[in-house]
Amino acid sequence: PCSVTVERVASSGALIADAVKFSSFTLSSSPNLPLWQMGGQYYINDYTLGKANAIHTSGITTRPRFAKLAGADVYISIHTNAYQGCETSAGSSARGYVTYNYEGGGVSGMSKFGNMVHKGVIGHIRRDYDSGFYDRGLKSEAFAELKGGMPSVLLELAFHDNIKPNSSQKQSDNEAIQDPRFKQAVAMGIADGIVQYFTKNSASEYK
């Protein structure tokens, strides 16, 4: 079974909210850091005992290959965004949630899956967390993680370098990704999008 681990790294102040651990399998010779923190290609190489069709040149390309090997029906990659905000004390002015899919790969269901997940996530965020949270939309990009041969989405939940809210948002994006209400809304939105996709229903409840 897979689980999602959420933890705060006290020494650096970083928040890890999207680390997916695929199993409890570890090597006795592993270093102090868990393999999933070292990068997808190292963890999955260990987990699959080096199956060549799952391993690639980086964690980014290895993760969708592993999903394909595992027989996954869909693939979801969860990230937080940034826009040069760490270079200034004021942080980034960029904000909001965006969903990416890749419609140029000829994968059946890609567009529908992207629409369902996007509507589910932004719908729950606006209903359960902040009605003014900025929606950057659904966009198609040829990201490596979206080329696994199955309906896939890459979610940029918010800008972690956005540290000051504007007049339309209750909190900054950085505060949002650390707020349990936001994380719960995102989780419910993802689940709703998946259900809507597989049951072939419209996510028209969220507009």
Side-chain angles (χ1 to χ4, degrees):
C2 86
S3 60
V4 177
T5 303
V6 179
E7 63 175 293
R8 183 184 299 277
V9 182
S11 59
S12 65
L15 180 72
I16 300 173
D18 64 343
V20 178
K21 188 175 182 181
F22 291 99
S23 105
S24 58
F25 182 90
T26 58
L27 288 177
S28 59
S29 59
S30 63
N32 293 332
L33 283 177
L35 289 170
W36 58 267
Q37 286 186 357
M38 295 171 59
Q41 71 270 39
Y42 302 109
Y43 178 80
I44 294 169
N45 183 57
D46 176 43
Y47 180 82
T48 61
L49 302 181
K51 289 184 179 179
N53 58 340
I55 311 306
H56 207 241
T57 55
S58 73
I60 292 174
T61 49
T62 295
R63 289 190 286 268
R65 284 170 176 254
F66 176 75
K68 190 74 171 179
L69 178 70
D73 295 307
V74 296
Y75 179 85
I76 299 175
S77 181
I78 305 174
H79 297 250
T80 58
N81 218 336
Y83 183 69
Q84 301 178 331
C86 297
E87 299 176 6
T88 68
S89 60
S92 172
S93 60
R95 60 190 176 90
Y97 165 72
V98 61
T99 302
Y100 291 100
N101 65 1
Y102 177 48
E103 298 187 12
V107 175
S108 177
M110 180 74 80
S111 178
K112 179 182 177 182
F113 185 58
N115 272 290
M116 293 298 183
V117 173
H118 183 79
K119 289 181 179 180
V121 172
I122 194 62
H124 274 278
I125 289 174
R126 287 180 165 178
R127 188 186 71 181
D128 303 332
Y129 171 69
D130 183 350
S131 60
F133 202 83
Y134 187 55
D135 178 9
R136 302 180 71 91
L138 171 64
K139 303 178 181 181
S140 178
E141 293 286 351
F143 294 146
E145 283 197 83
L146 302 176
K147 295 181 177 181
M150 69 196 77
S152 306
V153 289
L154 187 152
L155 313 181
E156 294 282 8
L157 302 181
F159 284 78
H160 52 255
D161 57 354
N162 175 272
I163 58 176
K164 294 181 179 180
N166 68 5
S167 58
S168 65
Q169 288 188 198
K170 297 177 181 177
Q171 293 181 304
S172 69
D173 277 24
N174 181 278
E175 292 171 314
I177 61 176
Q178 300 181 65
D179 192 316
R181 296 171 302 151
F182 180 81
K183 289 183 279 190
Q184 177 71 14
V186 169
M188 293 300 296
I190 293 172
D192 182 72
I194 292 172
V195 170
Q196 296 286 356
Y197 174 74
F198 283 110
T199 57
K200 299 182 179 179
N201 291 327
S202 171
S204 57
E205 175 185 355
Y206 306 109
K207 296 181 179 178

